[in-house]
Amino acid sequence: MRIIIITGASGGLAQEMVKLLPEDRLILLGRNQEKLEQVYADHPQAECIGIDITDSSAVQDLVEELYQRYGQIDVLVNNAGYGIFEAFDCISDQQVREMFEVNTFALMNLSRLIGARMKTAGKGHIVNIVSMAGLVATASLYSATKFAAIGFSNALRLELMPFGVHVTTVNPGPIRTTFFDQADPDGSYVKAVDRYILEPDFVAKKIVKHFGKAKRELNLPWLLNLTHKLYTLFPRISDKLASKMFNFK
């Protein structure tokens, strides 16, 4: 039985992943423990824990407790994240900092704490759910939080590779979840990118399929992955195209 931690566990993508993991011991983290327990009441191997993952002291205490109880963590899935699609001169300093706290620093903190234990054990897998917005910039500071998360993940992968620990970044395009309730309250962005929107069960299957495997990154869908490759090869042209294709605010 694998021991798997999933953050942002009340979200739609996490719920689809959990459906595919009936035999694993799941440690599901989210801000609202009562909501987690309602969502996963029928899962026999789910332990729901309410925690603010931006509280580094609380996270460190939890990691120590979990290792005392279970001895090891096989897979860490950093799934928590949110977006605010405001123009750079309309978003507040506090909103920017809070996005970085969840999307970047909390991911880094958990990856470092558990990655260090996996390094000692000589095995394990860290899966960071990031975003295609971290590979192809959109006109939003949300992209900056995701570029940073990918950069950290790539560096961590190099450090942990000699010790048998895998680090995978998952970079999906928009997924049909409640993410957009906050990021896109008027629905204009979702309407504009409807042809790119992924279903959460499809993404979940792709992710779970690669647990325990040395997969560097998983970019979805294929059309946006192609866009990323063109963005890398032809940055100036891609900037012009991206400003038209992805600036839907």
Side-chain angles (χ1 to χ4, degrees):
M1 180 186 295
R2 295 176 298 186
I3 310 297
I4 300 173
I5 296 178
I6 303 176
T7 70
S10 62
L13 179 57
Q15 291 182 41
E16 294 299 330
M17 283 190 281
V18 168
K19 291 177 184 177
L20 302 172
L21 302 167
E23 304 299 325
D24 296 293
R25 181 63 174 173
L26 304 179
I27 302 163
L28 305 174
L29 309 186
R31 286 183 178 271
N32 189 325
Q33 183 162 347
E34 183 178 353
K35 181 179 179 180
L36 289 172
E37 291 174 347
Q38 289 174 351
V39 171
Y40 298 111
D42 295 330
H43 195 291
Q45 301 291 342
E47 177 180 359
C48 300
I49 300 176
I51 188 171
D52 177 1
I53 60 170
T54 67
D55 184 339
S56 58
S57 177
V59 169
Q60 184 169 357
D61 290 344
L62 176 62
V63 169
E64 291 178 0
E65 177 191 339
L66 292 175
Y67 270 90
Q68 287 177 3
R69 288 164 52 195
Y70 295 110
Q72 70 179 40
I73 303 297
D74 297 292
V75 182
L76 165 65
V77 183
N78 280 304
N79 173 65
Y82 73 99
I84 300 174
F85 291 175
E86 291 285 353
F88 78 95
D89 52 350
C90 296
I91 192 170
S92 70
D93 289 349
Q94 182 177 350
Q95 287 175 315
V96 173
R97 291 178 184 277
E98 288 175 350
M99 264 203 300
F100 268 97
E101 286 289 344
V102 175
N103 295 354
T104 310
F105 299 137
L107 175 150
M108 292 173 66
N109 189 36
L110 260 173
S111 295
R112 292 174 63 240
L113 288 170
I114 294 179
R117 307 258 190 167
M118 289 178 171
K119 176 182 175 180
T120 300
K123 60 180 179 178
H125 192 182
I126 297 172
V127 180
N128 290 333
I129 312 296
V130 193
S131 173
M132 190 59 70
L135 294 174
V136 179
T138 61
S140 167
L141 291 178
Y142 167 74
S143 277
T145 70
K146 297 301 185 176
F147 267 81
I150 291 175
F152 165 76
S153 300
N154 289 343
L156 185 66
R157 181 185 303 108
L158 296 178
E159 290 201 57
L160 291 178
M161 193 181 298
F163 301 96
V165 180
H166 308 313
V167 178
T168 301
T169 56
V170 180
N171 304 308
I175 305 173
R176 204 179 303 279
T177 67
T178 56
F179 171 89
F180 291 107
D181 292 351
Q182 180 175 7
D184 179 43
D186 66 0
S188 58
Y189 180 88
V190 169
K191 183 178 179 180
V193 300
D194 186 67
R195 59 180 166 171
Y196 301 117
I197 290 185
L198 299 161
E199 296 301 328
D201 59 335
F202 169 80
V203 180
K205 289 174 184 176
K206 293 286 187 181
I207 295 169
V208 170
K209 177 183 176 181
H210 290 95
F211 280 179
K213 299 179 181 178
K215 180 74 172 175
R216 185 181 188 277
E217 61 183 12
L218 180 61
N219 302 327
L220 302 166
W222 71 267
L223 183 58
L224 291 184
N225 188 36
L226 176 61
T227 302
H228 158 55
K229 294 183 185 300
L230 294 174
Y231 186 87
T232 303
L233 293 171
F234 308 105
R236 292 182 64 183
I237 295 174
S238 298
D239 276 349
K240 292 180 180 180
L241 293 174
S243 67
K244 297 176 181 178
M245 292 177 64
F246 302 122
N247 186 12
F248 296 120
K249 297 192 297 297

